[in-house]
Amino acid sequence: MFSTDFKHPNVYVSGKHPFYTIIQGFVMKDDKPFFSYGNMQGAYQPIGHLSILINIIDFGMNVQEAGDAARWDHSGSSEPTGKLTDTLSTTDQVNLESGIPYLVVRQLRAKGHQVEVGNSFFGRNKGIMSDYKNGVYLGTSESRVDGQAAG
């Protein structure tokens, strides 16, 4: 995903931290390790990681619920690995998993958004959370794919 064009914002050169898609998440809480996780899928990773954290922190979900919750994505506008001339466009689209209520789809379309339901790849999440209160670790392997959390 790096560029070798020195004029490109995602050029790979010494001293620069270009965008790349090997993104693992690690969250600290009260100066202790709290949550280690990853959500694969290229450019979806930043929003995928953020959605998992929002589900846990803001919506109070446990690690399994957070990974299994319906997801959304935005595509079609400028990307960090795109051409220098890429700008926001009218081809951008919001992709929603089918678990999101259709009322939300109608409301987004009424605001002018192009919405597609069920036609995207929303990553794959795995994670381990520390539960210091009970002295255990909680693992998750989302239900979209084969896998398991074992300990």
Side-chain angles (χ1 to χ4, degrees):
M1 302 289 288
F2 303 120
S3 175
T4 57
D5 178 355
F6 285 97
K7 294 179 182 177
H8 194 281
N10 206 47
V11 65
Y12 180 72
V13 294
S14 179
K16 184 170 190 310
H17 187 80
F19 176 84
Y20 60 93
T21 62
I22 302 171
I23 302 173
Q24 298 301 309
F26 191 80
V27 180
M28 300 286 287
K29 182 178 179 184
D30 300 325
D31 294 323
K32 296 180 191 172
F34 175 63
F35 188 36
S36 174
Y37 71 117
N39 188 61
M40 68 178 221
Q41 174 45 19
Y44 179 75
Q45 288 179 353
I47 197 167
H49 277 69
L50 183 62
S51 67
I52 301 294
L53 281 183
I54 287 171
N55 288 340
I56 292 169
I57 295 169
D58 295 328
F59 297 118
M61 295 181 188
N62 66 43
V63 291
Q64 189 65 49
E65 292 169 328
D68 288 343
R71 295 191 188 150
W72 63 278
D73 190 17
H74 175 266
S75 62
S77 62
S78 59
E79 297 286 339
T81 56
K83 296 181 223 151
L84 289 172
T85 56
D86 285 350
T87 59
L88 292 176
S89 69
T90 58
T91 62
D92 60 321
Q93 180 172 301
V94 177
N95 300 299
L96 304 175
E97 280 191 308
S98 59
I100 293 179
Y102 195 71
L103 174 62
V104 174
V105 174
R106 286 196 317 260
Q107 290 172 334
L108 288 170
R109 285 180 177 157
K111 293 180 181 207
H113 296 286
Q114 295 181 44
V115 180
E116 180 87 22
V117 178
N119 189 22
S120 191
F121 180 74
F122 297 95
R124 301 294 180 250
N125 175 60
K126 309 267 188 248
I128 302 168
M129 181 179 282
S130 302
D131 179 349
Y132 290 101
K133 179 181 174 187
N134 295 304
V136 298
Y137 293 106
L138 307 170
T140 181
S141 177
E142 70 172 74
S143 60
R144 289 171 187 84
V145 293
D146 291 340
Q148 68 175 6

